[in-house]
Amino acid sequence: MKNILLVLQREYLVRVKKKSFIIMTFLTPFLFVGFYAAMIWIAIGSTESKTIEVLDESKLFINQFKDTEELKFTYINEPLDSAKSAFTTNKGSGVNALVFIPKDVLDHPKDVRIYAAKNVSLDLKSDIEKTIERQIENIKLTEAGITRKIIEDARVNVSSETISLNEEGEKSSSSGAATIIGGICAFMIYLSVFVYGTQVMRGVTEEKTSRIVEVIISSVKPYQLMMGKIVGVALVGLTQFVLWILLTVLFISAAGYAFKDKMGDNPQAKIEQVQKSMPAGGAMSTAATSAGNDNPVTEVLGAVSSLNIPYIIACFLFYYLGGYFFYSALFGAVGAAVDNDADTQQFMLPITMPIIISFFFAQFALRDPDGPLAFWASIIPFTSPIVMMVRVPFGVPGWQLALSMILLVLGLMGTVWLAARIYRVGILMYGKKVSYKELGKWIFYKI
Amino acid sequence: MNILETHHIVKDYAEHRALDDVSINIPKGSIFGLLGPNGAGKTSLIRIINQITGPDEGKVLFDGQPLNEDHIRRIGYLPEERGLYKKMKVGDQLLYLARLKGLSKSEAMDKLKIWFTKFDIKTWWDKQVSDLSKGMQQKVQFVSTVLHQPDLIILDEPFSGFDPINANLIRDEILELREKGSTIIFSTHRMETVEELCDYIALIHRSKKVLDGPKKQIKEQFKTNTFFVEHSGTLNGLAELYQITESRVLPAGLTRSQIRLPEGGSPNQLLQDLLPKVEIHSFGENIPSMSDVFMRAVNEVPES
């Protein structure tokens, strides 16, 4: 045991002291926060107001364009040609675009033109188009004898709130937040199994190719060496996670402080705007709107807090470690079986395939967390670390979780045993092209 | 008293038998040469002594007790294929290896300081191993092998990769360690090393032990009972009494002859017989070198 600790300590310190570890640890949260900060910055930066001239020959749109903080509409009444030449000669007058609506717009809606010195943004274009469309629609409906009132009465706004109903009674649940949390957890496990599993493999091959392994195993048992390495790298991974979370929180508060004065009196709106413009933000606001509230951020926070966070963290740690041990042992065995990194490819496929498949299954499980595929994939140890983590935030029956955990523990004991058998033979075997058949024999060698 | 005894060791690998009934005794305080051609089974035997593998049959006694895990820290092992962690500082690495052998951190530090002073390598402490030359790495590895003052030191080709100055330095250290009570096993096929340093030898060939015992005694066994004589004049009539195996003329005009004594013959008798015939410039017995012994022992074993 003392030897395992010594090995573990070395493996941990060597990796944590590496420049690449330190850079990754600081850079990742920095980039993450920086990316969001940049989006907010852009959103704030684009608030200078624009003036749009409207030349409405049809006279149908007077006062239909609503001024906003960013857009000011002015109406002009002169021939198009003179308006155009005025627009081009008075560039400095602060008019950013000229909207021309022809007389027969009702019959030829495609003849609407927007003139601008530079290309107008898609947002502006669609705003203008929508306003015109709505007005034309109104006019045509009115002509057909249908008033705005009828339409508004006919429009029903359904927004259902999902309520999880169980022994504890009704509780406002949030499938949106569960989806996000589950997805993030599964992705983190997927990534770390790959990243840290490969590190274990590299570490083993390094010891083998540098030939230090013979010296080491004259002091410690191969099993101790392997376990020390696997656990040491696991702790490196946990350290990185913890630092990422802490640093992200730190950077966010720092960024928040820096932006405080810029945000002015309506920071919420800005954040909302930013979120809408991003895919992830979109998912978040879906979560928010499903609960039918105006304030998406507090709503998401509320939704997240409706989930049992300590329970999810506990499950995450279990499946992170379980999945990692399950696969890193196999990665270690591959590292021991080959002479150098280049030869690892032939044995990698059977290990990486189930991990990649798990990730696919996880996406199905996100959509249907209680379906048969999600169920079986979250029970079988090869896929359970990733797929079960998707299901956990949605709520999983106790027996399923217990079964999945027990099977995972049994499974990882199996892979560790198998890996140890291959490892003890492999680390002393040089210059031999190893086949699967050969590996099979090693398992039953007596040493 | 033997520090290590192996009794009838058998070790089988999938396709071949690596060791076949190998019994050796290594006396305490000796320098023991473990000889044999490549692939004879030396490394297999060493791995068994280091408990890297176990024998299929037979037993190993260390200091009178069956070999067990407590003995690991009493053994120091320098494998033929040297290796250190490349991206680790010399000092950290030696500390780590010493602690794996059961030394406490402070003990290891104290001992390391002594060795770093002795080898005059204090400036290496914070260097990465990959920044050292091969010879320097060998020195570091030698320190790691003997740092915990093992009772038994196993050195597999210890001088390969050293320049003559450093090889001498290492040789002196080995002799000093022996003075302090350690026993040393040399696994080598460099016969000059064996000639110079070993007290005892064992020769393994084709998985079997073919020879063992004190070096002197083995040389005695391999004596051919021939004498050389450098003389002027011709050995007329001597051939009736003795077998002259070789006679060649040296550049200085002398002749060097190899003469084999008959059973029960003595060198004095030979001299008496020579005196009337030729003028003797030098005379001596042919003592077999270790490499003669090695060659003959290995060639005598029939191909199996």
Side-chain angles (χ1 to χ4, degrees):
Chain A
M1 197 59 203
K2 191 174 157 257
N3 282 338
I4 294 190
L5 286 178
L6 280 171
V7 174
L8 187 158
Q9 195 186 5
R10 192 202 85 87
E11 298 292 338
Y12 180 80
L13 288 178
V14 160
R15 286 184 172 76
V16 169
K17 281 187 198 157
K18 259 191 194 162
K19 277 194 203 83
S20 58
F21 177 86
I22 295 167
I23 291 171
M24 277 297 288
T25 303
F26 282 90
L27 205 60
T28 308
F30 185 76
L31 287 178
F32 181 73
V33 174
F35 175 71
Y36 271 77
M39 296 303 284
I40 292 171
W41 182 263
I42 290 161
I44 293 168
S46 68
T47 52
E48 57 174 295
S49 68
K50 289 187 171 135
T51 310
I52 315 283
E53 280 183 340
V54 179
L55 174 54
D56 180 15
E57 287 185 350
S58 64
K59 306 291 175 218
L60 292 168
F61 296 92
I62 304 299
N63 296 329
Q64 285 301 321
F65 292 102
K66 297 277 181 301
D67 287 357
T68 65
E69 256 178 71
E70 291 122 56
L71 296 175
K72 300 265 181 291
F73 293 94
T74 56
Y75 296 89
I76 52 168
N77 196 0
E78 51 186 305
L80 177 61
D81 289 340
S82 68
K84 273 203 279 190
S85 62
F87 181 74
T88 40
T89 47
N90 303 332
K91 257 186 197 149
S93 66
V95 178
N96 298 80
L98 170 66
V99 178
F100 169 69
I101 302 167
K103 213 172 220 145
D104 52 353
V105 67
L106 284 183
D107 301 319
H108 299 100
K110 293 221 164 82
D111 290 347
V112 174
R113 292 284 179 273
I114 300 172
Y115 300 96
K118 285 176 281 182
N119 282 336
V120 292
S121 73
L122 276 178
D123 275 351
L124 177 62
K125 186 166 175 273
S126 74
D127 268 2
I128 293 169
E129 281 169 356
K130 261 192 208 129
T131 310
I132 297 173
E133 274 166 21
R134 201 182 314 124
Q135 185 61 7
I136 295 177
E137 194 181 279
N138 275 346
I139 292 165
K140 289 198 168 171
L141 286 170
T142 316
E143 278 171 4
I146 302 167
T147 65
R148 189 90 228 157
K149 176 100 180 46
I150 298 172
I151 297 168
E152 243 138 64
D153 284 347
R155 210 169 264 166
V156 182
N157 196 357
V158 178
S159 167
S160 69
E161 191 180 356
T162 47
I163 311 271
S164 65
L165 194 60
N166 57 23
E167 299 84 358
E168 294 160 34
E170 285 186 21
K171 180 175 87 178
S172 165
S173 81
S174 42
S175 53
T179 308
I180 294 165
I181 300 276
I184 290 174
C185 287
F187 186 67
M188 297 254 275
I189 292 177
Y190 169 77
L191 210 61
S192 46
V193 165
F194 259 120
V195 170
Y196 297 110
T198 316
Q199 282 204 19
V200 169
M201 186 178 75
R202 288 258 161 76
V204 174
T205 337
E206 186 210 336
E207 280 172 352
K208 198 180 161 182
T209 46
S210 73
R211 309 273 175 161
I212 192 163
V213 72
E214 189 151 353
V215 174
I216 304 278
I217 60 166
S218 69
S219 307
V220 306
K221 297 267 157 259
Y223 177 75
Q224 295 174 325
L225 179 60
M226 190 184 89
M227 284 316 281
K229 186 179 290 288
I230 291 177
V231 177
V233 174
L235 293 182
V236 174
L238 284 180
T239 308
Q240 189 146 55
F241 282 148
V242 169
L243 285 176
W244 274 349
I245 290 165
L246 289 181
L247 287 172
T248 307
V249 170
L250 191 76
F251 287 156
I252 286 177
S253 22
Y257 186 77
F259 275 121
K260 220 167 108 193
D261 45 333
K262 291 269 174 198
M263 299 283 247
D265 35 61
N266 196 7
Q268 207 60 70
K270 302 294 180 212
I271 292 168
E272 202 175 336
Q273 196 181 344
V274 172
Q275 280 171 342
K276 251 193 259 171
S277 61
M278 277 181 288
M284 270 161 139
S285 37
T286 320
T289 43
S290 73
N293 196 296
D294 296 325
N295 188 335
V297 172
T298 47
E299 194 49 42
V300 166
L301 289 179
V304 168
S305 64
S306 81
L307 299 167
N308 189 347
I309 294 296
Y311 163 76
I312 291 175
I313 289 178
C315 285
F316 175 78
L317 283 179
F318 181 88
Y319 281 103
Y320 162 74
L321 290 174
Y324 164 80
F325 280 121
F326 187 91
Y327 280 108
S328 64
L330 295 176
F331 276 113
V334 170
V338 300
D339 278 358
N340 55 58
D341 280 347
D343 291 343
T344 53
Q345 285 311 317
Q346 57 163 332
F347 297 115
M348 287 288 276
L349 194 69
I351 301 174
T352 52
M353 271 317 276
I355 306 177
I356 294 168
I357 289 172
S358 308
F359 196 61
F360 272 115
F361 285 178
Q363 329 233 337
F364 288 110
L366 269 179
R367 265 171 258 150
D368 185 11
D370 292 316
L373 179 71
F375 170 76
W376 287 109
S378 63
I379 297 295
I380 296 165
F382 280 96
T383 50
S384 68
I386 292 171
V387 179
M388 187 53 108
M389 249 351 268
V390 170
R391 295 185 59 204
V392 160
F394 291 94
V396 178
W399 69 270
Q400 290 186 14
L401 196 64
L403 180 64
S404 159
M405 284 181 164
I406 289 167
L407 286 179
L408 181 59
V409 170
L410 291 178
L412 74 87
M413 281 159 70
T415 59
V416 167
W417 177 84
L418 193 76
R421 304 287 290 184
I422 292 175
Y423 182 84
R424 77 209 159 113
V425 181
I427 46 174
L428 291 174
M429 199 73 82
Y430 291 101
K432 211 172 179 182
K433 265 278 178 216
V434 179
S435 63
Y436 282 108
K437 204 176 142 201
E438 187 78 23
L439 285 188
K441 279 193 205 154
W442 290 3
I443 295 168
F444 301 104
Y445 272 4
K446 55 186 176 1
I447 281 285
Chain B
M1 184 62 193
N2 295 327
I3 183 93
L4 190 96
E5 295 174 13
T6 72
H7 294 283
H8 310 289
I9 298 287
V10 173
K11 178 73 188 170
D12 282 314
Y13 286 115
E15 279 99 31
H16 75 292
R17 176 160 285 200
L19 294 170
D20 190 359
D21 195 29
V22 173
S23 302
I24 57 170
N25 296 322
I26 299 174
K28 213 172 238 176
S30 64
I31 297 185
F32 190 97
L34 186 61
L35 318 180
N38 291 325
K42 287 176 297 182
T43 304
S44 295
L45 185 61
I46 288 172
R47 283 184 178 167
I48 288 171
I49 298 170
N50 275 308
Q51 300 181 57
I52 292 171
T53 59
D56 296 330
E57 285 171 41
K59 61 178 177 179
V60 183
L61 298 182
F62 186 93
D63 216 357
Q65 299 165 317
L67 196 62
N68 64 52
E69 282 188 33
D70 295 335
H71 296 139
I72 287 176
R73 59 192 48 175
R74 295 177 62 188
I75 299 177
Y77 174 37
L78 181 72
E80 183 177 7
E81 298 278 1
R82 310 294 149 74
L84 294 164
Y85 288 110
K86 299 234 163 6
K87 295 280 165 221
M88 202 174 170
K89 285 179 184 165
V90 172
D92 290 347
Q93 180 137 232
L94 285 170
L95 260 183
Y96 173 61
L97 293 172
R99 295 185 69 195
L100 284 182
K101 283 289 185 189
L103 292 190
S104 74
K105 200 171 178 177
S106 58
E107 261 180 298
M109 275 305 250
D110 293 345
K111 294 209 158 88
L112 277 174
K113 272 184 199 142
I114 295 169
W115 278 101
F116 270 62
T117 317
K118 198 178 212 173
F119 277 1
D120 198 17
I121 54 174
K122 276 184 223 159
T123 51
W124 294 6
W125 186 274
D126 277 328
K127 277 191 184 162
Q128 297 237 320
V129 171
S130 53
D131 295 339
L132 300 181
S133 73
K134 205 174 167 211
M136 292 157 110
Q137 292 184 23
Q138 298 261 50
K139 255 184 176 171
V140 171
Q141 189 139 27
F142 181 78
V143 172
S144 80
T145 309
V146 299
L147 187 73
H148 57 292
Q149 289 179 327
D151 295 325
L152 180 65
I153 302 169
I154 302 171
L155 306 171
D156 201 342
E157 296 294 358
F159 299 116
S160 70
F162 279 116
D163 60 54
I165 293 168
N166 280 316
N168 270 340
L169 183 77
I170 296 296
R171 195 201 57 199
D172 293 345
E173 288 309 325
I174 292 170
L175 290 172
E176 197 182 323
L177 286 163
R178 199 257 296 260
E179 289 303 306
K180 285 184 185 157
S182 297
T183 308
I184 289 121
I185 299 179
F186 267 129
S187 166
T188 184
H189 29 238
R190 299 245 302 243
M191 289 306 142
E192 61 272 38
T193 313
V194 182
E195 203 83 72
E196 188 189 346
L197 293 171
C198 294
D199 315 315
Y200 292 81
I201 62 154
L203 199 155
I204 295 178
H205 183 46
R206 294 187 207 286
S207 315
K208 290 192 171 72
K209 180 190 77 182
V210 292
L211 259 186
D212 73 328
K215 184 174 73 182
K216 254 191 179 153
Q217 206 175 308
I218 286 180
K219 284 193 164 190
E220 205 64 29
Q221 273 175 38
F222 276 79
K223 272 204 310 208
T224 49
N225 232 13
T226 58
F227 289 77
F228 69 89
V229 58
E230 286 175 17
H231 55 89
S232 49
T234 51
L235 296 166
N236 288 332
L238 199 70
E240 291 147 32
L241 301 163
Y242 301 97
Q243 187 191 350
I244 300 169
T245 54
E246 194 193 344
S247 223
R248 69 192 155 92
V249 179
L250 297 178
L254 298 173
T255 313
R256 185 184 171 99
S257 302
Q258 304 285 346
I259 302 163
R260 174 165 290 154
L261 291 189
E263 203 69 30
S266 82
N268 282 13
Q269 185 61 49
L270 172 62
L271 273 174
Q272 277 184 11
D273 292 333
L274 282 169
L275 283 172
K277 298 187 188 340
V278 293
E279 192 179 309
I280 299 167
H281 289 257
S282 81
F283 178 81
E285 186 176 9
N286 286 318
I287 306 285
S289 68
M290 273 320 292
S291 92
D292 295 336
V293 172
F294 184 91
M295 300 285 271
R296 276 178 56 200
V298 164
N299 289 332
E300 271 168 22
V301 177
E303 296 246 354
S304 52

mmCIF file of all heavy atoms in Angstrom, chain A residues 7 38 59 63 83 113 145 157 165 197 204 206-207 216 235 242 265 275 277 293 299 309 362 378 399 402 412-413 418:
data_model
loop_
_atom_site.group_PDB
_atom_site.id
_atom_site.type_symbol
_atom_site.label_atom_id
_atom_site.label_comp_id
_atom_site.label_asym_id
_atom_site.label_seq_id
_atom_site.Cartn_x
_atom_site.Cartn_y
_atom_site.Cartn_z
ATOM 1 N N VAL A 7 3.974 5.638 -5.729
ATOM 2 C CA VAL A 7 3.810 5.700 -7.188
ATOM 3 C C VAL A 7 2.782 6.766 -7.537
ATOM 4 O O VAL A 7 2.996 7.626 -8.395
ATOM 5 C CB VAL A 7 3.371 4.325 -7.753
ATOM 6 C CG1 VAL A 7 3.070 4.436 -9.232
ATOM 7 C CG2 VAL A 7 4.443 3.277 -7.504
ATOM 8 N N ALA A 38 -16.870 38.389 -24.592
ATOM 9 C CA ALA A 38 -16.797 39.017 -25.907
ATOM 10 C C ALA A 38 -18.188 39.172 -26.497
ATOM 11 O O ALA A 38 -18.526 40.217 -27.069
ATOM 12 C CB ALA A 38 -15.907 38.183 -26.828
ATOM 13 N N LYS A 59 -48.765 55.075 -48.529
ATOM 14 C CA LYS A 59 -49.387 55.758 -47.379
ATOM 15 C C LYS A 59 -50.067 54.789 -46.418
ATOM 16 O O LYS A 59 -50.955 55.133 -45.665
ATOM 17 C CB LYS A 59 -50.448 56.804 -47.860
ATOM 18 C CG LYS A 59 -49.946 57.820 -48.857
ATOM 19 C CD LYS A 59 -48.957 58.788 -48.213
ATOM 20 C CE LYS A 59 -48.379 59.716 -49.278
ATOM 21 N NZ LYS A 59 -46.960 60.001 -49.058
ATOM 22 N N ASN A 63 -46.569 55.681 -39.328
ATOM 23 C CA ASN A 63 -46.500 55.361 -37.913
ATOM 24 C C ASN A 63 -46.606 53.855 -37.588
ATOM 25 O O ASN A 63 -46.889 53.469 -36.468
ATOM 26 C CB ASN A 63 -47.555 56.110 -37.099
ATOM 27 C CG ASN A 63 -47.300 57.599 -37.154
ATOM 28 O OD1 ASN A 63 -46.138 58.016 -37.270
ATOM 29 N ND2 ASN A 63 -48.349 58.399 -37.134
ATOM 30 N N ALA A 83 -35.009 61.452 -53.294
ATOM 31 C CA ALA A 83 -34.676 60.895 -51.969
ATOM 32 C C ALA A 83 -33.359 60.152 -52.038
ATOM 33 O O ALA A 83 -32.510 60.250 -51.148
ATOM 34 C CB ALA A 83 -35.789 59.961 -51.495
ATOM 35 N N ARG A 113 -37.875 48.132 -51.219
ATOM 36 C CA ARG A 113 -36.415 48.237 -51.348
ATOM 37 C C ARG A 113 -35.827 48.865 -50.097
ATOM 38 O O ARG A 113 -36.417 49.785 -49.519
ATOM 39 C CB ARG A 113 -36.049 49.119 -52.544
ATOM 40 C CG ARG A 113 -36.400 48.524 -53.908
ATOM 41 C CD ARG A 113 -35.392 47.431 -54.304
ATOM 42 N NE ARG A 113 -35.751 46.849 -55.581
ATOM 43 C CZ ARG A 113 -36.600 45.823 -55.719
ATOM 44 N NH1 ARG A 113 -37.161 45.282 -54.638
ATOM 45 N NH2 ARG A 113 -36.901 45.353 -56.903
ATOM 46 N N GLY A 145 -62.929 41.169 -44.255
ATOM 47 C CA GLY A 145 -63.942 41.268 -43.215
ATOM 48 C C GLY A 145 -63.514 40.685 -41.886
ATOM 49 O O GLY A 145 -64.326 40.471 -40.989
ATOM 50 N N ASN A 157 -52.322 30.916 -26.663
ATOM 51 C CA ASN A 157 -50.920 30.704 -26.328
ATOM 52 C C ASN A 157 -50.797 29.594 -25.296
ATOM 53 O O ASN A 157 -51.196 29.721 -24.152
ATOM 54 C CB ASN A 157 -50.338 32.012 -25.784
ATOM 55 C CG ASN A 157 -48.821 31.963 -25.781
ATOM 56 O OD1 ASN A 157 -48.249 30.936 -26.124
ATOM 57 N ND2 ASN A 157 -48.203 33.052 -25.398
ATOM 58 N N LEU A 165 -44.309 14.348 -10.934
ATOM 59 C CA LEU A 165 -45.289 13.894 -9.951
ATOM 60 C C LEU A 165 -44.763 12.618 -9.332
ATOM 61 O O LEU A 165 -44.586 11.615 -9.995
ATOM 62 C CB LEU A 165 -46.609 13.639 -10.693
ATOM 63 C CG LEU A 165 -47.864 13.474 -9.835
ATOM 64 C CD1 LEU A 165 -48.115 14.723 -9.008
ATOM 65 C CD2 LEU A 165 -49.043 13.197 -10.747
ATOM 66 N N GLY A 197 -7.446 8.474 -19.963
ATOM 67 C CA GLY A 197 -7.124 7.096 -20.338
ATOM 68 C C GLY A 197 -5.883 7.043 -21.215
ATOM 69 O O GLY A 197 -4.983 6.231 -21.022
ATOM 70 N N VAL A 204 2.425 4.293 -19.318
ATOM 71 C CA VAL A 204 2.906 2.913 -19.293
ATOM 72 C C VAL A 204 3.929 2.691 -20.399
ATOM 73 O O VAL A 204 5.010 2.139 -20.158
ATOM 74 C CB VAL A 204 1.720 1.932 -19.451
ATOM 75 C CG1 VAL A 204 2.227 0.513 -19.584
ATOM 76 C CG2 VAL A 204 0.786 2.038 -18.264
ATOM 77 N N GLU A 206 5.757 4.859 -21.814
ATOM 78 C CA GLU A 206 6.970 5.614 -21.513
ATOM 79 C C GLU A 206 7.883 4.811 -20.585
ATOM 80 O O GLU A 206 9.086 4.708 -20.818
ATOM 81 C CB GLU A 206 6.595 6.944 -20.863
ATOM 82 C CG GLU A 206 7.785 7.857 -20.635
ATOM 83 C CD GLU A 206 7.612 8.757 -19.429
ATOM 84 O OE1 GLU A 206 6.471 9.035 -19.025
ATOM 85 O OE2 GLU A 206 8.649 9.165 -18.874
ATOM 86 N N GLU A 207 7.281 4.221 -19.560
ATOM 87 C CA GLU A 207 8.096 3.428 -18.633
ATOM 88 C C GLU A 207 8.698 2.228 -19.333
ATOM 89 O O GLU A 207 9.811 1.813 -19.056
ATOM 90 C CB GLU A 207 7.235 2.962 -17.450
ATOM 91 C CG GLU A 207 7.061 4.037 -16.420
ATOM 92 C CD GLU A 207 6.070 3.670 -15.344
ATOM 93 O OE1 GLU A 207 5.399 2.625 -15.478
ATOM 94 O OE2 GLU A 207 5.961 4.427 -14.372
ATOM 95 N N ILE A 216 11.817 -0.426 -11.489
ATOM 96 C CA ILE A 216 10.681 -0.154 -10.610
ATOM 97 C C ILE A 216 10.063 -1.452 -10.111
ATOM 98 O O ILE A 216 9.786 -1.595 -8.923
ATOM 99 C CB ILE A 216 9.602 0.668 -11.352
ATOM 100 C CG1 ILE A 216 10.207 1.947 -11.907
ATOM 101 C CG2 ILE A 216 8.435 0.963 -10.433
ATOM 102 C CD1 ILE A 216 10.335 3.080 -10.962
ATOM 103 N N LEU A 235 -6.668 11.450 -10.053
ATOM 104 C CA LEU A 235 -6.624 12.624 -9.189
ATOM 105 C C LEU A 235 -6.211 13.869 -9.980
ATOM 106 O O LEU A 235 -6.679 14.974 -9.691
ATOM 107 C CB LEU A 235 -5.658 12.396 -8.024
ATOM 108 C CG LEU A 235 -6.108 11.324 -7.023
ATOM 109 C CD1 LEU A 235 -5.116 11.210 -5.884
ATOM 110 C CD2 LEU A 235 -7.486 11.648 -6.471
ATOM 111 N N VAL A 242 -11.823 20.579 -10.559
ATOM 112 C CA VAL A 242 -12.062 21.494 -9.443
ATOM 113 C C VAL A 242 -11.486 22.872 -9.765
ATOM 114 O O VAL A 242 -12.139 23.893 -9.578
ATOM 115 C CB VAL A 242 -11.445 20.921 -8.147
ATOM 116 C CG1 VAL A 242 -11.458 21.970 -7.048
ATOM 117 C CG2 VAL A 242 -12.214 19.681 -7.707
ATOM 118 N N ASP A 265 -28.404 50.303 -16.761
ATOM 119 C CA ASP A 265 -29.560 50.009 -15.924
ATOM 120 C C ASP A 265 -30.292 48.738 -16.329
ATOM 121 O O ASP A 265 -31.160 48.285 -15.624
ATOM 122 C CB ASP A 265 -30.528 51.204 -15.943
ATOM 123 C CG ASP A 265 -30.528 51.880 -17.302
ATOM 124 O OD1 ASP A 265 -30.889 51.170 -18.280
ATOM 125 O OD2 ASP A 265 -30.151 53.052 -17.396
ATOM 126 N N GLN A 275 -27.893 35.663 -24.924
ATOM 127 C CA GLN A 275 -28.289 34.255 -24.886
ATOM 128 C C GLN A 275 -29.068 33.861 -26.125
ATOM 129 O O GLN A 275 -28.898 32.782 -26.661
ATOM 130 C CB GLN A 275 -29.148 34.014 -23.651
ATOM 131 C CG GLN A 275 -28.286 33.851 -22.408
ATOM 132 C CD GLN A 275 -29.123 33.819 -21.168
ATOM 133 O OE1 GLN A 275 -30.273 34.243 -21.174
ATOM 134 N NE2 GLN A 275 -28.546 33.302 -20.113
ATOM 135 N N SER A 277 -28.744 34.973 -28.999
ATOM 136 C CA SER A 277 -27.907 34.886 -30.190
ATOM 137 C C SER A 277 -26.975 33.684 -30.165
ATOM 138 O O SER A 277 -26.186 33.474 -31.055
ATOM 139 C CB SER A 277 -27.093 36.173 -30.332
ATOM 140 O OG SER A 277 -26.268 36.320 -29.208
ATOM 141 N N ASN A 293 -41.763 32.280 -17.651
ATOM 142 C CA ASN A 293 -41.420 33.463 -16.866
ATOM 143 C C ASN A 293 -40.664 34.461 -17.728
ATOM 144 O O ASN A 293 -40.047 34.116 -18.718
ATOM 145 C CB ASN A 293 -40.564 33.023 -15.680
ATOM 146 C CG ASN A 293 -40.494 34.105 -14.626
ATOM 147 O OD1 ASN A 293 -39.957 35.174 -14.893
ATOM 148 N ND2 ASN A 293 -41.035 33.825 -13.459
ATOM 149 N N GLU A 299 -34.816 32.187 -13.877
ATOM 150 C CA GLU A 299 -35.634 31.003 -14.084
ATOM 151 C C GLU A 299 -34.754 29.767 -14.248
ATOM 152 O O GLU A 299 -35.006 28.714 -13.689
ATOM 153 C CB GLU A 299 -36.524 31.191 -15.323
ATOM 154 C CG GLU A 299 -37.626 30.176 -15.427
ATOM 155 C CD GLU A 299 -38.386 30.056 -14.124
ATOM 156 O OE1 GLU A 299 -38.675 31.078 -13.470
ATOM 157 O OE2 GLU A 299 -38.694 28.918 -13.748
ATOM 158 N N ILE A 309 -28.778 18.970 -6.654
ATOM 159 C CA ILE A 309 -27.390 19.164 -7.091
ATOM 160 C C ILE A 309 -26.400 18.244 -6.365
ATOM 161 O O ILE A 309 -25.585 17.586 -7.022
ATOM 162 C CB ILE A 309 -26.987 20.648 -6.960
ATOM 163 C CG1 ILE A 309 -27.805 21.497 -7.938
ATOM 164 C CG2 ILE A 309 -25.501 20.840 -7.215
ATOM 165 C CD1 ILE A 309 -27.556 21.193 -9.397
ATOM 166 N N ALA A 362 -25.852 8.470 -25.673
ATOM 167 C CA ALA A 362 -26.164 9.558 -24.742
ATOM 168 C C ALA A 362 -27.068 10.596 -25.411
ATOM 169 O O ALA A 362 -27.962 11.146 -24.777
ATOM 170 C CB ALA A 362 -24.875 10.208 -24.253
ATOM 171 N N SER A 378 -27.674 2.388 -19.979
ATOM 172 C CA SER A 378 -27.252 2.934 -18.693
ATOM 173 C C SER A 378 -27.039 1.837 -17.652
ATOM 174 O O SER A 378 -26.622 2.103 -16.540
ATOM 175 C CB SER A 378 -28.270 3.943 -18.185
ATOM 176 O OG SER A 378 -29.503 3.296 -17.955
ATOM 177 N N TRP A 399 -33.591 1.413 -8.029
ATOM 178 C CA TRP A 399 -33.061 0.077 -8.329
ATOM 179 C C TRP A 399 -32.210 0.091 -9.588
ATOM 180 O O TRP A 399 -31.200 -0.598 -9.683
ATOM 181 C CB TRP A 399 -34.180 -0.966 -8.421
ATOM 182 C CG TRP A 399 -35.095 -0.794 -9.622
ATOM 183 C CD1 TRP A 399 -36.228 -0.063 -9.688
ATOM 184 C CD2 TRP A 399 -34.907 -1.373 -10.925
ATOM 185 N NE1 TRP A 399 -36.774 -0.139 -10.935
ATOM 186 C CE2 TRP A 399 -35.996 -0.937 -11.727
ATOM 187 C CE3 TRP A 399 -33.949 -2.214 -11.498
ATOM 188 C CZ2 TRP A 399 -36.138 -1.306 -13.059
ATOM 189 C CZ3 TRP A 399 -34.100 -2.587 -12.832
ATOM 190 C CH2 TRP A 399 -35.171 -2.130 -13.595
ATOM 191 N N ALA A 402 -28.872 1.603 -8.671
ATOM 192 C CA ALA A 402 -28.103 0.647 -7.867
ATOM 193 C C ALA A 402 -27.541 -0.458 -8.757
ATOM 194 O O ALA A 402 -26.354 -0.802 -8.684
ATOM 195 C CB ALA A 402 -28.983 0.054 -6.774
ATOM 196 N N LEU A 412 -15.561 -2.854 -13.668
ATOM 197 C CA LEU A 412 -14.222 -2.263 -13.602
ATOM 198 C C LEU A 412 -13.261 -3.176 -12.863
ATOM 199 O O LEU A 412 -12.066 -3.218 -13.171
ATOM 200 C CB LEU A 412 -14.258 -0.854 -13.006
ATOM 201 C CG LEU A 412 -14.463 -0.603 -11.529
ATOM 202 C CD1 LEU A 412 -13.148 -0.633 -10.773
ATOM 203 C CD2 LEU A 412 -15.107 0.756 -11.329
ATOM 204 N N MET A 413 -13.803 -3.957 -11.891
ATOM 205 C CA MET A 413 -12.923 -4.939 -11.251
ATOM 206 C C MET A 413 -12.446 -5.944 -12.291
ATOM 207 O O MET A 413 -11.285 -6.367 -12.286
ATOM 208 C CB MET A 413 -13.655 -5.639 -10.103
ATOM 209 C CG MET A 413 -13.694 -4.777 -8.850
ATOM 210 S SD MET A 413 -15.008 -5.224 -7.699
ATOM 211 C CE MET A 413 -14.454 -6.765 -7.096
ATOM 212 N N LEU A 418 -8.167 -7.986 -15.667
ATOM 213 C CA LEU A 418 -7.706 -8.365 -17.008
ATOM 214 C C LEU A 418 -6.466 -7.556 -17.393
ATOM 215 O O LEU A 418 -5.454 -8.099 -17.861
ATOM 216 C CB LEU A 418 -8.835 -8.080 -18.007
ATOM 217 C CG LEU A 418 -8.700 -8.668 -19.397
ATOM 218 C CD1 LEU A 418 -9.016 -10.147 -19.341
ATOM 219 C CD2 LEU A 418 -9.658 -7.966 -20.351
#
